[in-house]
């Protein structure tokens, strides 16, 4: 999807933000290539929304720099901003406006506006321009926001949890429309989500924030394939696990020892075999399981996935 | 885009602007013996338009009500323009439009100023023109008599800016958030109560308004939007 010859659509350098003594985002460095669909993940309070607000200039950072489509966000020109669409969490719209009025209002700010696309999206979701925004369901508000975001033909879309609060059917419809629009125009999309199934379906690359620190930045497949659950069976109570490179967490479940390890390989296998288990089972995980296991581990010692080669290191936070 | 922004702001403040206009029309209309609602009007009686009854009164009763309505409506409009965007989180929607943030806020201020002109200055102008028209009342009229009333409009505009600044300030309500509003109302009324506005008082008023606009633009640029 991404084109190596094009510059990165998003460049974040040493971005930090604190509220009082608590660092919400800490020394964040990230590059999102043009054409990439980037899923930005993290548990509640991990710093996703704050990062997105700093990306769009809604929250000034304490330190660091953000460049979107080559422009520094603190001095971004209206022309560059018109090439970026932003859907805020909860899809805020003016409740007193009808859909037609909000389309007209938004259109007034853009030189280029695809009327046909707006009509197509509204028609696809069976929305009438006479409906009041305040009377729309959350799903319909998301659909209107999507139409408004796509109409100026943006090169970069920043979506803050776009499917939050939507039921399964509406979420699926929304994502299908999003995928269709992405595929037809090859845009860069940066979106945060709590729904891992959505991310798996759409994102080519993911980032995982844990306590304000970006722990993972790699292709979605790499993350999913690298995090493994190892179930080790014993005849009696299992021994304590001595630790190994890439270990996320371990726990005892009856006579079994469950390990979550990033980049399971011969070195880790040798350590497990040294415990003389009766059997060992390596379990593949989907993105959701991998994410849950990865983020509920001991946060200070989580292995980090690096952008360049996805190698695993010990974090020194 | 200016038209779209102004229309939105005017529409959102329409209800408060309408109420303020009706109140001023009732007040100044009864001063011309043309009240909107005759039942609640005491009429003009022996009042000399635009003048206080007693020589040492700073303001006439009608002027006190006029400035009260003007200041209250100015504060309500200033807070409505800022707090509603913040509570509904529509500031995230509005501020991402491709328009410099300073221009978006200047647009809001222009809309607020326009509303104050329509709700306070326009009824006052009509009242002054009526008072200046020969044959409408048996009392003297000089345009200089209208000056204290126009000062009330200036003070109301400063209070509007104070309310606007309070609305966008990222501070605690039980704390420093309302300081600009209280400070401006106090300073505005202080300036208003000067018996004669010397050039120095005019300069002070202009400086107060300019400093409020600069503070608003600075706060809008630096603050965090929830």
């Amino acid at each position: 999807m991404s084109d190596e010859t094009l510059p990165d659509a998003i460049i974040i350098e040493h971005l930090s933000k604190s509220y009082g003594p608590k660092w919400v985002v800490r020394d964040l460095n990230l590059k999102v290539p043009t054409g990439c669909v980037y899923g930005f993940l993290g548990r509640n309070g991990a710093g996703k929304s704050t990062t997105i607000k700093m990306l769009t200039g809604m929250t000034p950072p304490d330190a660091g720099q953000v460049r979107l489509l080559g422009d520094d966000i603190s001095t971004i020109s209206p022309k560059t901003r018109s090439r970026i669409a932003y859907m805020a969490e909860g899809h805020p719209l003016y409740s007193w406006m009808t859909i037609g009025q909000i389309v007209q209002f938004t259109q007034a700010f853009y030189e280029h506006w695809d009327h046909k696309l707006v009509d197509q999206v509204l028609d696809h979701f069976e929305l009438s321009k006479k409906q009041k925004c305040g009377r729309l369901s959350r799903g319909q508000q998301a659909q209107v926001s999507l139409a408004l975001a796509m109409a100026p033909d943006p090169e970069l879309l920043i979506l803050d949890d776009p499917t939050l609060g939507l039921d399964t059917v509406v979420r699926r419809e929304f994502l299908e429309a999003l995928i269709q629009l992405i595929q037809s125009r090859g845009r860069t999309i940066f979106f945060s989500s709590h729904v891992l199934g959505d991310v798996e379906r759409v994102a080519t690359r993911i980032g995982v924030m844990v306590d304000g620190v970006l722990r993972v930045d790699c292709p979605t497949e790499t993350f999913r394939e690298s995090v493994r659950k190892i179930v080790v069976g014993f005849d009696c109570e299992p021994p304590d696990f001595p630790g190994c490179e890439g270990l996320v967490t371990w726990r005892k479940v009856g006579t079994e020892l469950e390990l979550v390890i990033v980049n399971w390989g011969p070195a880790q296998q040798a350590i497990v075999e040294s415990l003389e288990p009766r059997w060992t089972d390596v379990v593949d995980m989907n993105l959701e399981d991998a994410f849950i296991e990865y983020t509920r581990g001991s946060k200070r010692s989580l292995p980090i996935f690096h952008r360049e080669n996805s190698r695993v290191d010990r974090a020194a936070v | 885009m200016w038209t779209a922004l102004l229309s939105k702001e005017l529409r959102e403040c329409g209800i408060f602007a309408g109420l303020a206009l009706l109140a001023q029309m009732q007040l100044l209309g009864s001063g011309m013996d043309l009240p909107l609602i005759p039942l609640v009007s005491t009429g003009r009686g022996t009042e000399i338009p635009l003048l206080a009854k007693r020589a040492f009164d700073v303001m006439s009763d009608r002027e006190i009500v006029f400035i009260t309505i003007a200041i209250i409506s100015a504060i309500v409009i200033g807070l409505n323009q800022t707090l509603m965007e913040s509570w509904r989180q529509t500031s995230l929607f509005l501020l991402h439009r491709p328009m410099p943030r300073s221009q978006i806020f200047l647009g809001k201020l222009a809309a607020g100023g326009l509303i104050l002109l329509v709700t306070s200055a326009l009824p006052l102008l009509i009242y002054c023109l009526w008072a200046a028209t020969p044959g409408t009342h048996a009392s003297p009229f000089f345009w200089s008599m209208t000056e204290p009333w126009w000062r009330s409009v200036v003070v109301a505009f400063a209070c509007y800016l104070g309310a606007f600044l309070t609305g966008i300030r990222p501070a605690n309500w039980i704390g420093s958030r309302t300081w600009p509003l209280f400070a401006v109302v106090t300073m505005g009324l202080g300036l208003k109560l000067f018996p004669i506005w010397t050039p120095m008082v005019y300069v002070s008023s202009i400086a107060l308004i300019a400093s409020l606009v600069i503070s608003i633009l600075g706060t809008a640029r630096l603050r965090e939007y929830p």
Side-chain angles (χ1 to χ4, degrees):
Chain A
M1 201 87 172
S2 65
D3 190 335
E4 294 297 327
T5 59
L6 292 171
D8 292 318
I10 300 175
I11 300 172
I12 300 175
E13 288 169 342
H14 305 293
L15 196 69
S16 297
K17 179 78 187 173
S18 68
Y19 292 106
K22 185 175 163 51
W23 288 96
V24 183
V25 176
R26 188 164 170 168
D27 198 28
L28 175 62
N29 292 285
L30 177 65
K31 287 179 180 175
V32 179
T34 299
C36 173
V37 180
Y38 196 98
F40 196 51
L41 310 174
R43 293 169 63 176
N44 289 340
K48 301 187 300 295
S49 284
T50 306
T51 303
I52 286 184
K53 280 182 185 162
M54 286 194 280
L55 269 184
T56 53
M58 300 300 162
T59 293
D62 291 341
Q65 203 182 26
V66 172
R67 284 207 296 277
L68 301 182
L69 303 177
D71 256 25
D72 190 312
I73 191 65
S74 59
T75 54
I76 194 166
S77 65
K79 197 166 184 181
T80 306
R81 204 178 264 279
S82 71
R83 292 157 58 204
I84 302 164
Y86 167 46
M87 281 172 66
E89 189 180 322
H91 312 291
L93 298 170
Y94 293 103
S95 56
W96 57 270
M97 287 188 188
T98 62
I99 294 176
Q101 284 171 329
I102 203 155
V103 169
Q104 205 178 5
F105 172 71
T106 314
Q107 179 198 334
F109 292 88
Y110 294 90
E111 278 178 27
H112 178 262
W113 187 265
D114 193 338
H115 293 274
K116 208 173 146 192
L117 182 71
V118 174
D119 291 342
Q120 275 175 354
V121 175
L122 294 179
D123 189 49
H124 174 76
F125 292 121
E126 295 175 356
L127 291 166
S128 158
K129 282 190 175 175
K130 289 177 184 166
Q131 283 175 274
K132 276 213 165 186
C133 295
R135 297 212 174 143
L136 298 177
S137 68
R138 204 162 177 149
Q140 288 173 319
Q141 285 182 0
Q143 291 157 357
V144 173
S145 295
L146 181 66
L148 296 176
M150 299 307 299
D153 197 14
E155 291 163 44
L156 169 63
L157 276 95
I158 298 172
L159 318 174
D160 191 359
D161 223 338
T163 56
L164 181 72
L166 308 189
D167 70 44
T168 319
V169 177
V170 175
R171 214 177 64 222
R172 181 64 66 92
E173 278 180 356
F174 180 89
L175 280 171
E176 278 170 3
L178 192 65
I179 293 167
Q180 215 174 1
L181 290 163
I182 297 163
Q183 284 172 341
S184 62
R185 307 204 183 196
R187 296 177 167 100
T188 308
I189 300 194
F190 184 90
F191 76 107
S192 69
S193 183
H194 280 92
V195 186
L196 277 293
D198 293 353
V199 177
E200 201 162 17
R201 200 171 302 128
V202 179
T204 51
R205 198 174 178 92
I206 59 164
V208 178
M209 291 283 280
V210 180
D211 282 353
V213 177
L214 186 72
R215 295 285 185 179
V216 174
D217 173 25
C218 65
T220 314
E221 282 297 308
T222 305
F223 179 72
R224 195 175 49 203
E225 287 168 4
S226 301
V227 181
R228 289 272 187 275
K229 185 192 265 186
I230 321 295
V231 184
V232 190
F234 293 88
D235 287 327
C236 51
E237 193 189 334
D240 286 351
F241 189 69
C244 65
E245 191 180 345
L247 179 70
V248 175
T249 184
W250 68 272
R251 58 183 167 266
K252 293 176 186 177
V253 183
T255 57
E256 291 172 2
L257 196 59
E258 281 187 8
L259 315 170
V260 178
I261 292 175
V262 172
N263 282 1
W264 167 252
Q268 291 90 340
Q269 198 172 350
I271 294 170
V272 169
E273 279 167 7
S274 72
L275 302 174
E276 296 175 355
R278 259 189 69 204
W279 50 269
T280 305
D281 191 11
V282 180
V283 183
D284 282 341
M285 287 190 281
N286 61 21
L287 183 64
E288 186 160 6
D289 293 336
F291 173 79
I292 290 169
E293 294 297 349
Y294 184 79
T295 54
R296 78 175 176 194
S298 167
K299 289 165 189 166
R300 290 201 170 273
S301 58
L302 277 179
I304 294 181
F305 286 73
H306 281 278
R307 170 188 159 85
E308 289 76 16
N309 50 14
S310 307
R311 75 190 161 82
V312 178
D313 273 353
R314 279 273 151 210
V317 180
Chain B
M1 64 181 111
W2 279 95
T3 316
L5 183 61
L6 282 174
S7 313
K8 178 192 91 68
E9 293 299 322
L10 295 176
R11 166 66 179 75
E12 286 183 339
C13 295
I15 182 86
F16 303 112
L19 288 172
L21 183 61
L22 287 176
Q24 296 290 28
M25 282 169 70
Q26 170 70 13
L27 175 77
L28 300 179
S30 52
M32 297 183 277
D33 277 334
L34 291 165
L36 282 180
I37 312 164
L39 280 176
V40 291
S41 170
T42 51
R44 186 161 63 86
T46 56
E47 177 188 332
I48 298 173
L50 302 156
L51 278 190
K53 276 183 184 166
R54 289 172 293 275
F56 296 105
D57 282 352
V58 180
M59 287 187 270
S60 67
D61 294 346
R62 201 171 298 282
E63 193 183 349
I64 290 171
V65 180
F66 175 79
I67 193 171
T68 305
I69 295 170
I71 287 177
I72 289 173
S73 58
I75 291 171
V76 169
I77 287 162
L79 292 176
N80 180 61
Q81 277 186 298
T82 49
L83 295 180
M84 289 309 283
E85 295 274 12
S86 179
W87 285 338
R88 294 178 308 204
Q89 295 198 320
T90 44
S91 45
L92 297 180
F93 177 84
L94 181 64
L95 296 177
H96 187 68
R97 299 309 113 202
M99 189 177 185
R101 194 169 288 179
S102 57
Q103 285 187 24
I104 291 178
F105 278 86
L106 282 175
K108 277 179 166 282
L109 295 179
L114 189 64
I115 289 170
L116 290 183
L117 281 179
V118 172
T119 58
S120 297
L122 186 64
L124 177 59
L125 181 66
I126 293 168
Y127 184 53
C128 294
L129 288 173
W130 169 85
T133 307
T136 50
H137 57 97
S139 40
F141 174 81
F142 300 97
W143 276 102
S144 59
M145 289 156 61
T146 68
E147 196 222 3
W149 288 67
W150 292 112
R151 287 186 220 155
S152 304
V153 178
V154 174
V155 168
F157 184 62
C159 292
Y160 159 74
L161 294 175
F164 197 101
L165 183 56
T166 288
I168 62 166
R169 281 192 80 216
N172 286 327
W173 283 104
I174 308 170
S176 67
R177 186 155 184 175
T178 51
W179 286 4
L181 180 56
F182 285 126
V184 171
V185 171
T186 310
M187 286 168 75
L189 289 177
L191 287 171
K192 165 73 185 156
L193 294 176
F194 266 81
I196 297 168
W197 271 28
T198 59
M200 193 62 200
V201 182
Y202 276 109
V203 170
S204 305
S205 308
I206 292 166
L208 175 66
I209 287 171
S211 63
L212 283 165
V213 172
I214 291 166
S215 299
I216 286 168
L217 296 181
T219 308
R221 189 169 60 86
L222 296 173
R223 74 157 288 187
E224 181 175 324
Y225 293 88

